[in-house]
Amino acid sequence: MEYSDHARCPNCSSNMIYDIKAGALKCESCESVISISDYDDIVQRKKMNNVGYFSEGARVDTSDESFDAEDMNRTYICSSCDGRMTPGAAAATDFCPFCGNAIVFTDKYKSQRVPDMIVPFTMDRFDFIDKYQKECRQRLFVPEDFITEAKLENVKAWYIPFWLYDLTIEGSATYQVEDIGEGKNSYLHEIFEGVSEGRIEFHDIPQDGSKEVDDRISQRLEPFFIEDGVKFNFAYLSGLDAKIYNIDSINCMKRVESRTRETMDRYLSDAPNHDYYKVISRNYKMTPGKISYALMPIWNMDIVWKNEKFPFSMNGQTGRLVTRFPISWGQLFTCVGTSLWMLGCFMFWIISHDIFSDVDTGIKSMIAVSVFYGVAVCLFFPRLLFNSLKNTKIFGVLFFLIGCYLIFKSDGNPMGKALFRLSVFIDLVIITPMCILVLYEQVKEQNKIELRASGDTYISPDKYEDPTSLSFKQIKSVVTRDSTPIMRYGKEYHPD
């Protein structure tokens, strides 16, 4: 008969829960604190003295006619109260719904594979909620009612199964790269073709083996510092949520191969030193090495607001965050609109006082002030002046009134009117779209949740060979007047 484990206090027999800050087991009743190694010694002595039931939490119910030893969706009977529970196929921990015992279903790990190691949590629930609150204050243009009305649901400290891969990749590739030089009124596109070969060794590339966790989230939470991992012990899971793997190491390998291939492409084509690159053909050989099984710490919750769920996840070891927040477009456009309104009125006021001796000086000064002000609108105003709904209303009205006052105090000399029209044109056609685009890109970057393309982080030190260029020649040089680079390090080089 298979049993699951229960961390029991040796002093009062109550639940012992893993305390993240203490890094040890803590009794819920008498508050005794016992290190994992000391508790392990106690359990071993109990078993030697034929008290093996001391750590038994629940037994698998094999009396059901539909019981299948290969099926992970098992029913358990609590060893303390005989209550029945079915935690779900992927769940590796649960609390008895009747007596509250914290049970770790170690039989599931034994049926599959016992993890080689575990990276313990270093950040607890308080740290997690504190990170969320700080993120709400620091993010740009978050709706006020989102901060005050959103509900935090399913707050969990998860131990997620990860496969760790060692892998060596070697071979050669034919590629094209493009360099873009910017002239006064044109762009020079130089395209080169080359052939390179090289070799890279990777160590401990992680890939989560749980269907319950989106790969885009687990990969954005990287890196996990594997060197801080310890030998697996069920006591680390007591009172926390844990999963067993439901994607095996073979299926997870596909994503790892894709990441290492992308890294090899970038190395052989020297992509970081060019604007664009494209691999024409490749001939790589991948040699798998050791595959380890580890549990990694992730805090996770759902933020529910206006019937929509926003994910919020944190690396339980490093505090790295992955999340998506809604955007208050009203705050964004108020920030840009009122700021640039005040800028235009300020220019009109200065020009009307004949400070500029000629039109040429006035134009240059206006452009310089506009660019400087645009930078302030993009980098400083959102965080300092328009960082809440209240401040947005205050400074929006204030900037509008200041602009009106400046116009009222201005006189109407002819040069001033002409330059004012020019300043309005510069603001509307150049500065305003630039500010909106820059701010949108900042907000977009904050909410980015996507797969990591490469495995650069996991290259073993001194275990790669610099790419050797076998041939390298220029194949095209094109001058264009209406073409600008739109992304760097892209797979596809710029169109002709």
Side-chain angles (χ1 to χ4, degrees):
M1 184 178 295
E2 292 188 90
Y3 283 90
S4 291
D5 290 286
H6 168 223
R8 190 187 302 275
C9 178
N11 298 322
C12 68
S13 295
S14 292
N15 257 342
M16 296 204 81
I17 303 298
Y18 182 74
D19 187 290
I20 293 173
K21 287 301 182 184
L25 289 169
K26 186 175 182 179
C27 179
E28 288 187 316
S29 297
C30 67
E31 297 189 349
S32 299
V33 177
I34 303 175
S35 69
I36 300 296
S37 58
D38 288 344
Y39 182 80
D40 204 37
D41 291 340
I42 292 172
V43 171
Q44 295 303 320
R45 288 199 300 270
K46 294 284 187 181
K47 289 182 178 179
M48 291 176 61
N49 294 325
N50 295 322
V51 195
Y53 59 84
F54 172 79
S55 61
E56 290 176 0
R59 64 184 184 275
V60 179
D61 183 9
T62 58
S63 60
D64 193 334
E65 293 182 357
S66 61
F67 172 75
D68 182 356
E70 299 297 322
D71 186 8
M72 294 292 109
N73 193 24
R74 301 172 175 178
T75 298
Y76 295 85
I77 300 175
C78 179
S79 298
S80 297
C81 68
D82 286 338
R84 292 168 61 88
M85 68 192 86
T86 306
T93 60
D94 201 359
F95 288 90
C96 175
F98 304 101
C99 66
N101 277 351
I103 300 172
V104 181
F105 303 111
T106 48
D107 59 290
K108 289 189 176 183
Y109 287 117
K110 293 172 183 175
S111 297
Q112 285 188 329
R113 174 177 170 177
V114 176
D116 301 301
M117 61 175 295
I118 183 171
V119 176
F121 278 90
T122 59
M123 310 193 80
D124 62 9
R125 185 188 180 96
F126 175 81
D127 296 323
F128 183 49
I129 300 301
D130 185 57
K131 281 273 190 180
Y132 164 72
Q133 293 171 344
K134 287 181 179 178
E135 198 70 11
C136 287
R137 294 193 296 268
Q138 293 174 359
R139 291 240 167 177
L140 301 182
F141 308 119
V142 177
E144 194 81 8
D145 51 349
F146 173 81
I147 299 174
T148 57
E149 298 175 7
K151 297 180 180 179
L152 309 184
E153 297 182 354
N154 302 319
V155 182
K156 293 181 179 180
W158 271 357
Y159 274 114
I160 302 300
F162 273 77
W163 298 105
L164 306 177
Y165 298 85
D166 290 353
L167 184 145
T168 301
I169 182 171
E170 56 188 327
S172 61
T174 301
Y175 57 88
Q176 291 180 354
V177 296
E178 181 182 14
D179 294 328
I180 302 175
E182 184 175 355
K184 187 175 182 180
N185 297 310
S186 63
Y187 292 91
L188 175 63
H189 301 259
E190 295 181 297
I191 301 174
F192 301 87
E193 187 172 277
V195 179
S196 293
E197 64 179 11
R199 177 177 178 273
I200 306 176
E201 285 188 20
F202 296 88
H203 183 62
D204 288 333
I205 303 175
Q207 176 61 38
D208 81 78
S210 175
K211 294 178 181 177
E212 284 70 26
V213 181
D214 191 328
D215 284 356
R216 295 175 300 172
I217 291 178
S218 62
Q219 289 183 13
R220 295 291 293 183
L221 291 175
E222 296 175 13
F224 296 91
F225 297 119
I226 309 300
E227 59 272 17
D228 294 334
V230 297
K231 184 179 179 182
F232 174 76
N233 189 306
F234 85 90
Y236 285 102
L237 311 184
S238 183
L240 304 178
D241 285 278
K243 301 291 182 183
I244 60 172
Y245 73 80
N246 44 25
I247 307 177
D248 60 32
S249 60
I250 296 175
N251 287 317
C252 285
M253 185 68 176
K254 298 174 184 177
R255 179 61 195 153
V256 172
E257 289 177 346
S258 174
R259 296 180 72 180
T260 55
R261 187 183 301 113
E262 178 71 18
T263 300
M264 191 67 163
D265 288 346
R266 287 164 53 84
Y267 266 82
L268 294 188
S269 62
D270 195 24
N273 293 319
H274 301 280
D275 292 299
Y276 302 92
Y277 75 98
K278 177 181 180 180
V279 175
I280 305 300
S281 63
R282 60 173 70 86
N283 183 21
Y284 298 157
K285 177 185 177 183
M286 293 187 183
T287 306
K290 181 181 65 174
I291 301 177
S292 304
Y293 179 29
L295 298 185
M296 302 294 187
I298 294 177
W299 278 99
N300 187 76
M301 69 178 177
D302 293 323
I303 309 170
V304 182
W305 181 67
K306 293 186 176 179
N307 298 321
E308 186 176 358
K309 286 186 178 181
F310 297 86
F312 191 89
S313 300
M314 182 181 80
N315 184 318
Q317 181 191 31
T318 66
R320 183 181 178 89
L321 296 175
V322 175
T323 185
R324 180 173 61 86
F325 279 3
I327 304 170
S328 173
W329 294 105
Q331 285 181 237
L332 190 153
F333 287 117
T334 300
C335 172
V336 175
T338 59
S339 298
L340 297 181
W341 159 259
M342 188 175 72
L343 169 63
C345 296
F346 174 70
M347 287 181 174
F348 186 42
W349 177 80
I350 290 181
I351 293 168
S352 69
H353 286 76
D354 295 327
I355 293 177
F356 301 118
S357 58
D358 55 64
V359 174
D360 185 57
T361 303
I363 292 174
K364 290 180 180 179
S365 301
M366 280 194 304
I367 292 175
V369 171
S370 295
V371 172
F372 177 80
Y373 197 83
V375 171
V377 172
C378 293
L379 299 182
F380 302 110
F381 283 12
R383 299 189 183 280
L384 299 179
L385 307 181
F386 295 84
N387 55 354
S388 68
L389 182 60
K390 179 181 178 181
N391 285 352
T392 298
K393 291 179 179 178
I394 292 174
F395 284 100
V397 172
L398 182 62
F399 282 12
F400 177 77
L401 293 178
I402 290 175
C404 293
Y405 176 78
L406 291 172
I407 289 181
F408 177 74
K409 286 294 184 179
S410 306
D411 57 39
N413 65 71
M415 187 182 79
K417 289 182 179 180
L419 291 177
F420 179 66
R421 292 190 189 99
L422 179 61
S423 70
V424 170
F425 177 80
I426 292 173
D427 283 349
L428 292 179
V429 177
I430 300 176
I431 305 300
T432 298
M434 180 197 74
C435 291
I436 292 175
L437 179 62
V438 171
L439 289 174
Y440 174 72
E441 288 299 322
Q442 290 185 45
V443 173
K444 184 179 177 182
E445 181 65 27
Q446 288 180 160
N447 291 328
K448 182 182 290 185
I449 301 179
E450 61 182 16
L451 291 171
R452 289 186 178 274
S454 69
D456 294 358
T457 310
Y458 307 100
I459 296 176
S460 301
D462 303 322
K463 292 296 184 182
Y464 68 92
E465 299 174 3
D466 289 328
T468 302
S469 180
L470 304 183
S471 65
F472 193 75
K473 61 180 180 179
Q474 184 171 350
I475 62 173
K476 191 179 295 184
S477 180
V478 180
V479 176
T480 60
R481 294 186 179 277
D482 59 351
S483 180
T484 58
I486 56 174
M487 77 174 190
R488 193 169 175 81
Y489 307 149
K491 286 187 178 180
E492 298 294 330
Y493 59 72
H494 201 279
D496 295 342

